[in-house]
Amino acid sequence: MSSRGSYLGTNLWRLWPALPGLWWLLGLGLLLGLQAARCAPFYLPGLAPVNFCEADRETPTCKSSVALFVNRLDSVESVLPYEHNTFDFCQDSGKKSPSENLGQVLFGGQITSSPYKFSFNKTETCIKVCVKSYDTANEDQKKKLDFLKKGIQLNYQHHWIIDNMPVIWCRDIEGREKYCTPGFPIGCFVTKSGIARDACVINLEFNKSNTFYLFNHVDITITYHRENETNWSIARLVSARLDPKSYKHSDENHLTCHGPPMEIPGEYTDKLNVTYTYSVKFEENKNNKSGSRWNYVLESMPETNIQWFSIINSFVIILFLSGMVAMITLKTVHKDITRYNQMRFPEDAQKEFGWKLVHGDVFRPPRSRMLLSAFLGQGIQVLIMTFITLLLVCLGFLSPANRGALMTCAVVLWVLLGTSAGYVSAKMYKTFRGVQWKTNFLLTALLCPCVIFANLFIMNLILWVEGSSAAISFGALIGIFAMWLGISVPLTFLGAYIGSMGKFKHPVHINQVPRQIPQQTFFRKPLFGMIIGGVLPFGCTFIQLFFILNSIWSHQMYIMFGFLFLVFIILLITCSEATVLLCYFHLCAEDYHWWWRAFFTSSFMAVYLFMYTVYYFITKLQIADVASTILYFGSSMIMVLIFFLFTGTVGFFSCFFFITKIYSVVKVD
């Protein structure tokens, strides 16, 4: 017995790798430095900047024409985006669109040219773009006017682009602070009771009840920087801002861009002419170079201090959990080893207690082993995809200037990582003593993807019916389906075939007869453990989730991926340590059914995430129509499923390797 205790004492150091969070903490300082360098926007060198110069100095490498592109229109009161030409705005006669990548197709971010075209460094004032006429006696024109008024009432926002930069609108709010958004409204509405809604509060002239005010004029300010010290004629654009105005142009041949606002009465029954105009000016900025041309977008993001507060709060949780796990492995287990060293008689070894009593049952295969294996395979696939995508963003390979690149990268990685899903699923299924590895492969390859694809198909049908620009074309759906069936599924089979050849070896034998589990108190039952285990990861991430939801549903630009990557690592550590801690407590209560419990403990965070999306829907959005509600919760369920898979997988494997390590060091069999 003493020799056995000596073996345990000399190999205590082998327990250290079982502390998953502590190893992650060693690289956390490096991640902080990476975040500090990347939290500001940047311009990817791979996207060649455009040189501009005056019209009389134009060359093949330096152009004078500055084109303005328009993106889809969206609203916080409806999740249905629409293309620019869906509304009756001015259209470009030679309409052309830049080529779209997979991410833009999936998000419906169609970018098209506009009739707004400027000459570099040429100031223009009150230039007519087009005139739109509406006669309520004409049914087609009446529908266009009604749709325009509906867009104003729902506060739909323009999104314009100049030289691949978003055109932002800044306005002063209370406390002398400036609030900027990468879009500006079509107009605003004053209700029948005289309440000014949305942008109507910025102008005291918008005061007539039951009246729509259309923003038919924009003052555009474009800032540039002279890049070449030897050739001052070459410049690059570094920012674009605008200020929407409303003017009722009485004479379209003599435009002054002054006077009363452009009003559209709520009960309009006459003819109406709307003249769209613009003014543009160029300003030189000698400090802001093109390499940091996205810095001006930060003016709309004053929440950096909140991000740091969230991360510090998460660090406190990590330190607490790391201390608890370290106390268990380096103190509690050490105490057991010391007791073994002090044993003098063989019969003393029979007086085991706690987690050592279940050593013959701790690796007994769980129920529904095939389903658990499939979840683990899909979880690994999502986890690796998310990690690589966020790492590439932080390293600068996925610039915000390259729209749709983030989603394209994520989809391509998910398809190519089918091998990892099949391998992990088959290997765990073999470890669980499963024999139907082909059925397990089919479940891994089809279960979760089919659920997501069915969800997307239903939402796409709604978008088709509503005529939204976010609807994916039938050809694109077939292409995505072909990528999954032709690439991901075969790779999953390859991984499953390799994984089925081996299994994880258990350090202890499994008893023939299962041990009876003592009666458990409420605090030791699985539900209580899952509730506690899900709170900690959610507490580390809910502030970041707020900004992510804002970027998706409130249409705010999200570019602080350094913070996001750091919070992602914190989430992995928290899930890992919380699951290890709670699984150890359950094993001490002689409950050896830990397989599913380890998965659900950390994945219960997805339940809190769903509750948070409901709270966000009620408190932050003003969605009223049924179609938008279905689309919101359908998209939220996809996000919840993704979090369920990868958080549960992180917790499961942390607990699996921790338990394997302590039972291999403390040989109680």
Side-chain angles (χ1 to χ4, degrees):
M1 196 69 213
S2 60
S3 62
R4 180 183 178 184
S6 175
Y7 169 83
L8 297 173
T10 56
N11 287 277
L12 181 60
W13 62 272
R14 292 171 55 193
L15 285 173
W16 184 257
L19 305 179
L22 297 180
W23 283 107
W24 285 99
L25 285 174
L26 295 177
L28 213 50
L30 177 62
L31 294 175
L32 281 171
L34 178 64
Q35 188 278 333
R38 297 295 179 183
C39 65
F42 56 94
Y43 193 69
L44 187 66
L47 298 174
V50 180
N51 295 326
F52 291 92
C53 56
E54 286 75 6
D56 56 346
R57 299 177 179 177
E58 186 172 10
T59 64
T61 59
C62 176
K63 64 179 185 178
S64 62
S65 176
V66 180
L68 187 149
F69 288 85
V70 292
N71 205 340
R72 65 181 186 179
L73 287 86
D74 49 39
S75 170
V76 296
E77 300 182 27
S78 174
V79 301
L80 299 173
Y82 291 99
E83 291 185 18
H84 187 265
N85 58 5
T86 306
F87 293 90
D88 192 31
F89 297 129
C90 300
Q91 305 295 326
D92 186 17
S93 56
K95 182 179 177 181
K96 55 183 179 181
S97 301
S99 58
E100 298 176 349
N101 54 39
L102 179 61
Q104 288 176 294
V105 171
L106 292 177
F107 271 108
Q110 294 86 357
I111 299 175
T112 58
S113 58
S114 76
Y116 296 85
K117 292 178 174 60
F118 323 118
S119 181
F120 176 74
N121 213 13
K122 180 181 179 182
T123 299
E124 297 178 294
T125 303
C126 207
I127 304 299
K128 182 177 71 173
V129 182
C130 72
V131 179
K132 294 292 182 178
S133 300
Y134 302 97
D135 186 355
T136 54
N138 186 306
E139 189 64 26
D140 183 57
Q141 293 182 5
K142 185 177 182 299
K143 287 183 179 179
K144 291 180 179 179
L145 182 61
D146 290 340
F147 191 71
L148 182 63
K149 292 194 292 185
K150 180 182 177 182
I152 295 175
Q153 192 167 8
L154 292 176
N155 195 29
Y156 269 84
Q157 308 274 319
H158 289 280
H159 292 279
W160 289 2
I161 300 168
I162 293 179
D163 192 27
N164 208 27
M165 298 183 301
V167 182
I168 66 171
W169 172 42
C170 297
R171 62 189 185 275
D172 295 328
I173 58 176
E174 296 180 2
R176 297 183 179 179
E177 294 182 358
K178 182 175 289 187
Y179 178 72
C180 301
T181 57
F184 67 97
I186 296 175
C188 61
F189 176 61
V190 179
T191 63
K192 293 181 180 180
S193 58
I195 300 175
R197 295 187 55 196
D198 304 318
C200 280
V201 299
I202 66 176
N203 194 332
L204 296 178
E205 294 183 356
F206 300 160
N207 51 22
K208 291 185 180 180
S209 60
N210 195 26
T211 302
F212 297 87
Y213 292 92
L214 178 66
F215 291 132
N216 60 331
H217 175 85
V218 288
D219 290 327
I220 303 174
T221 302
I222 302 175
T223 306
Y224 64 91
H225 178 79
R226 300 286 184 181
E227 295 289 329
N228 196 334
E229 296 182 358
T230 59
N231 189 355
W232 288 95
S233 63
I234 296 178
R236 292 173 184 171
L237 307 187
V238 292
S239 71
R241 296 177 173 86
L242 61 74
D243 191 16
K245 303 288 185 180
S246 178
Y247 298 124
K248 185 176 182 179
H249 302 289
S250 56
D251 186 358
E252 63 180 80
N253 296 319
H254 298 85
L255 301 175
T256 60
C257 291
H258 293 289
M262 183 67 228
E263 301 175 355
I264 305 177
E267 304 296 335
Y268 195 75
T269 58
D270 202 354
K271 295 182 179 180
L272 178 71
N273 291 327
V274 178
T275 304
Y276 289 91
T277 57
Y278 74 88
S279 298
V280 62
K281 64 178 180 178
F282 290 80
E283 296 179 351
E284 183 177 2
N285 188 322
K286 297 183 179 181
N287 299 321
N288 193 11
K289 297 184 179 181
S290 62
S292 55
R293 65 196 302 234
W294 281 65
N295 280 353
Y296 74 103
V297 180
L298 283 177
E299 295 180 18
S300 61
M301 299 179 182
E303 63 273 356
T304 305
N305 292 333
I306 300 176
Q307 298 270 18
W308 280 115
F309 174 78
S310 171
I311 290 174
I312 293 174
N313 175 65
S314 302
F315 271 127
V316 174
I317 296 177
I318 287 178
L319 291 176
F320 170 75
L321 291 174
S322 299
M324 292 290 289
V325 175
M327 182 185 67
I328 288 173
T329 54
L330 300 180
K331 182 178 179 181
T332 306
V333 177
H334 177 68
K335 182 179 179 181
D336 293 333
I337 293 173
T338 303
R339 186 173 63 85
Y340 273 108
N341 286 332
Q342 294 175 351
M343 290 181 182
R344 297 183 178 181
F345 303 101
E347 56 269 17
D348 292 338
Q350 304 302 321
K351 299 177 182 179
E352 297 172 349
F353 64 93
W355 59 274
K356 295 177 292 301
L357 288 175
V358 296
H359 67 275
D361 299 278
V362 72
F363 293 106
R364 190 176 300 280
R367 298 175 181 177
S368 304
R369 67 189 79 176
M370 187 177 293
L371 180 61
L372 179 59
S373 301
F375 280 164
L376 294 174
Q378 286 291 329
I380 283 292
Q381 188 176 11
V382 173
L383 175 64
I384 300 175
M385 175 204 73
T386 307
F387 179 83
I388 295 177
T389 302
L390 291 179
L391 184 62
L392 291 176
V393 173
C394 289
L395 293 178
F397 292 101
L398 301 177
S399 170
N402 189 4
R403 292 172 177 82
L406 183 66
M407 177 56 67
T408 302
C409 177
V411 173
V412 171
L413 282 174
W414 182 84
V415 170
L416 297 178
L417 288 170
T419 306
S420 61
Y423 177 82
V424 171
S425 178
K427 195 172 185 68
M428 288 307 304
Y429 184 64
K430 192 79 171 180
T431 303
F432 295 152
R433 298 184 177 182
V435 293
Q436 300 176 338
W437 72 271
K438 294 181 181 179
T439 306
N440 177 68
F441 143 70
L442 290 175
L443 190 65
T444 304
L446 303 179
L447 178 60
C448 294
C450 282
V451 171
I452 294 177
F453 191 83
N455 193 341
L456 288 175
F457 185 75
I458 294 173
M459 291 192 297
N460 209 53
L461 285 178
I462 297 175
L463 292 171
W464 277 339
V465 172
E466 295 292 334
S468 173
S469 65
I472 305 173
S473 66
F474 183 75
L477 281 177
I478 295 299
I480 296 171
F481 183 80
M483 287 178 60
W484 167 54
L485 197 61
I487 301 177
S488 180
V489 173
L491 289 177
T492 305
F493 177 81
L494 175 63
Y497 178 77
I498 299 173
S500 62
M501 297 180 179
K503 63 180 181 179
F504 292 104
K505 294 182 179 180
H506 300 318
V508 291
H509 298 295
I510 301 175
N511 293 336
Q512 294 294 330
V513 180
R515 180 183 178 85
Q516 184 176 1
I517 300 176
Q519 183 69 29
Q520 302 291 312
T521 63
F522 172 76
F523 298 103
R524 293 185 181 272
K525 288 184 178 180
L527 181 60
F528 181 79
M530 288 186 291
I531 292 174
I532 298 299
V535 165
L536 296 174
F538 179 75
C540 292
T541 58
F542 80 95
I543 293 180
Q544 198 67 225
L545 289 172
F546 171 77
F547 294 122
I548 293 175
L549 291 177
N550 268 351
S551 67
I552 296 175
W553 303 115
S554 295
H555 313 295
Q556 297 181 11
M557 186 168 294
Y558 187 94
I559 57 176
M560 291 183 288
F561 291 100
F563 281 117
L564 182 60
F565 183 68
L566 186 57
V567 171
F568 176 74
I569 297 299
I570 291 174
L571 174 62
L572 299 186
I573 298 172
T574 309
C575 289
S576 174
E577 295 182 335
T579 306
V580 167
L581 199 63
L582 292 170
C583 278
Y584 176 81
F585 289 153
H586 289 124
L587 289 177
C588 289
E590 302 176 23
D591 185 355
Y592 52 84
H593 293 309
W594 65 273
W595 300 98
W596 277 106
R597 182 173 295 178
F599 186 87
F600 283 129
T601 296
S602 54
S603 66
F604 201 80
M605 177 210 171
V607 176
Y608 292 105
L609 174 60
F610 177 74
M611 294 168 62
Y612 187 73
T613 57
V614 174
Y615 168 80
Y616 185 88
F617 178 83
I618 296 173
T619 60
K620 301 297 181 182
L621 301 179
Q622 296 87 39
I623 295 176
D625 59 295
V626 177
S628 296
T629 303
I630 294 175
L631 291 171
Y632 174 84
F633 284 105
S635 302
S636 298
M637 290 307 299
I638 294 177
M639 185 166 60
V640 167
L641 177 60
I642 290 174
F643 271 85
F644 170 79
L645 290 174
F646 88 77
T647 54
T649 301
V650 169
F652 176 89
F653 280 109
S654 299
C655 197
F656 175 74
F657 291 121
F658 175 82
I659 292 175
T660 301
K661 183 61 64 175
I662 64 172
Y663 279 100
S664 64
V665 174
V666 184
K667 293 190 176 295
V668 292
D669 58 334

